[in-house]
Amino acid sequence: MEREAPDGLGIDRFRATTGLPLSTYFSATKMRWLIENVPSLRKDLEDKDGERSNVRFGTVDTWAIYQLTGATESSTYVTDITNASRTLLMDIHTREWDETLINAFFGDLVDFPTASALPKIISSSEVIGPCHSSGALDGVPIAGILGDQQAALFGQAALNPGEAKCTYGTGLFLMMNTGATCVPSTNGLLTTPAYQLGPDADIVYALEGSVSHAGSVIQWLRDKLQIIESATDSEELALSVPNNEGLYFVPAFAGLFAPYWRSDARGCLVGMTAGHHRGHVCRAALEASAYQAKELLRAMEQDSKGTDLTTLKVDGGMSMNDFLMTFQSDILGSKVVRPKINETTALGAAFAAGLATGVWSSTDDIMAMWTAAKTWTPSMADEEREKYWSAWKRAVVKSFDSDWF
């Protein structure tokens, strides 16, 4: 679709409405593929007097709620604003499915039945209804829906504009609260709803950057290169050397996501000499996550017109790696804080549900509950920080030189 676009807008053709680049990462492109390649689905969509009204699309939250409320024709068919924003089909300003977008993706294939085939968009925190009587959760209210990273932001109590969190999992996701302002990105980030606490509440927005490979790089060292036996070995080996000795690992195994969005990039180790060993490789692999987080943070500061982040809240499995968190603080030149409860995604969803059901009366209660477990303060000299950073930027450019394959 990008190549065929007559207006030359390319991957940013829908960004003003959706906050997203055109990418196979999001739902609409997958839905188009299904309609093009599953004949029975297309036939049902074209059957205006029969099966057309039974076709349902939705993200995983929609499916889970549909199942929890009985999985029948009368079951609840909804999604929240944060999950809907990841489909490339919702206008993030109006909180509604956009017929212009729907026609752009499906208009040349079918007359898409938006009213029946897409779920109702609701807020992130409201009582949706009870679980069905057939299950163990009979009568338990469903009251909170949030996308993965938005839930982590909420669970980190990053509820004021300018506050940010970074989740280090298989990938890496950095999100900054921008308040009621929907900030357009000119630096390769996503503009997204962060949450809406009730159907009549204002939408709170955020900027988000994602990196495809973070913790998965350590898994690759373990499973493919087999230079470590467990993920925890990577920290010990990284600490076995005083520094990276000029070795940089750009983990562009599936291209590079934000802020570059270069699908042609490929993974590379830059600066390798005969003096390097697996300790250096592990150190470079861990440092790569910290560099990529800084890339995202720099882009956010530029998009948000000079907001300087003084503290970064962290979570996810890799945040338990003290070497990585120390280096993250050093390369950012900012404090890094790990919370006492590290499972912030689940916590954020629970907070949203608790607000809707009266467990907590306001977001002030949530902010009062958040506590830090450990804080890292930067100790790296500015000159050394700039040396590492400029070398990383040069290494990233090397990952673009992929014409040879």
Side-chain angles (χ1 to χ4, degrees):
M1 293 179 68
E2 176 190 346
R3 290 192 300 270
E4 297 168 0
D7 52 21
L9 293 177
I11 65 172
D12 289 325
R13 58 188 287 102
F14 304 125
R15 187 182 283 275
T17 305
T18 67
L20 309 175
L22 179 59
S23 170
T24 56
Y25 189 68
F26 306 114
S27 304
T29 50
K30 297 178 175 69
M31 292 166 63
R32 181 181 173 87
W33 186 94
L34 287 170
I35 295 170
E36 286 182 316
N37 293 279
V38 181
S40 60
L41 173 60
R42 188 163 182 172
K43 180 181 177 181
D44 287 348
L45 285 168
E46 292 171 342
D47 183 8
K48 295 186 178 182
D49 297 322
E51 290 301 315
R52 173 183 171 92
S53 62
N54 292 324
V55 175
R56 300 283 189 273
F57 291 95
T59 46
V60 69
D61 58 302
T62 300
W63 180 86
I65 292 168
Y66 185 80
Q67 296 296 322
L68 287 169
T69 55
T72 65
E73 188 175 340
S74 61
S75 293
T76 304
Y77 183 44
V78 297
T79 187
D80 93 301
I81 185 174
T82 64
N83 286 288
S85 73
R86 284 301 191 269
T87 62
L88 272 171
L89 299 175
M90 189 193 81
D91 185 325
I92 61 174
H93 308 281
T94 65
R95 206 191 83 168
E96 296 177 351
W97 300 121
D98 187 281
E99 289 296 337
T100 300
L101 294 169
I102 289 166
N103 187 60
F105 281 101
F106 315 125
D108 61 326
L109 301 176
V110 294
D111 179 15
F112 192 86
T114 304
S116 62
L118 290 178
K120 178 184 178 181
I121 301 172
I122 64 174
S123 76
S124 310
S125 178
E126 62 180 275
V127 177
I128 301 158
C131 292
H132 192 260
S133 59
S134 61
L137 298 176
D138 178 19
V140 174
I142 302 170
I145 320 174
L146 283 164
D148 188 19
Q149 300 312 314
Q150 289 92 338
L153 183 78
F154 204 65
Q156 284 275 29
L159 307 181
N160 297 309
E163 293 185 331
K165 68 87 196 173
C166 189
T167 299
Y168 303 78
T170 302
L172 184 150
F173 303 90
L174 201 153
M175 184 174 281
M176 176 186 284
N177 186 322
T178 61
T181 303
C182 186
V183 178
S185 177
T186 58
N187 290 280
L189 302 175
L190 310 182
T191 302
T192 179
Y195 52 85
Q196 183 186 23
L197 301 180
D200 299 322
D202 291 336
I203 299 171
V204 174
Y205 292 94
L207 285 169
E208 180 185 1
S210 58
V211 168
S212 61
H213 286 78
S216 58
V217 178
I218 305 305
Q219 294 170 3
W220 182 77
L221 296 180
R222 181 193 65 198
D223 300 336
K224 299 299 184 180
L225 289 192
Q226 298 182 356
I227 63 173
I228 57 175
E229 293 184 1
S230 68
T232 55
D233 292 344
S234 63
E235 181 173 12
E236 182 179 350
L237 284 165
L239 290 169
S240 71
V241 293
N243 55 61
N244 64 17
E245 294 189 28
L247 186 66
Y248 292 84
F249 191 154
V250 184
F253 293 145
L256 288 173
F257 286 14
Y260 298 101
W261 295 102
R262 290 287 296 259
S263 60
D264 62 321
R266 291 296 179 268
C268 57
L269 276 165
V270 179
M272 186 179 293
T273 70
H276 289 124
H277 53 72
R278 63 177 183 156
H280 297 97
V281 174
C282 287
R283 189 179 185 107
L286 290 170
E287 288 180 351
S289 290
Y291 291 127
Q292 290 179 105
K294 180 169 181 172
E295 297 258 31
L296 298 178
L297 192 57
R298 281 279 181 92
M300 286 182 180
E301 290 174 345
Q302 291 171 12
D303 278 338
S304 57
K305 296 179 173 56
T307 298
D308 293 323
L309 189 76
T310 57
T311 301
L312 179 66
K313 294 180 176 181
V314 298
D315 54 68
M318 288 185 78
S319 71
M320 303 307 291
N321 186 308
D322 286 356
F323 164 77
L324 173 56
M325 295 299 100
T326 300
F327 187 76
Q328 185 69 87
S329 177
D330 280 341
I331 203 65
L332 287 178
S334 302
K335 287 184 179 180
V336 168
V337 182
R338 186 171 66 208
K340 183 171 290 186
I341 300 176
N342 197 44
E343 297 297 333
T344 55
T345 299
L347 185 62
F351 281 158
L355 285 170
T357 55
V359 176
W360 299 288
S361 61
S362 72
T363 54
D364 290 339
D365 295 338
I366 291 171
M367 288 188 286
M369 291 174 62
W370 188 92
T371 54
K374 189 168 183 177
T375 299
W376 290 266
T377 302
S379 60
M380 184 180 288
D382 291 344
E383 183 178 347
E384 185 179 9
R385 180 181 301 115
E386 183 56 34
K387 180 189 74 172
Y388 284 128
W389 181 241
S390 61
W392 163 258
K393 298 292 282 186
R394 293 195 302 273
V396 169
V397 173
K398 295 295 184 182
S399 75
F400 301 157
D401 300 332
S402 55
D403 292 342
W404 54 269
F405 73 89

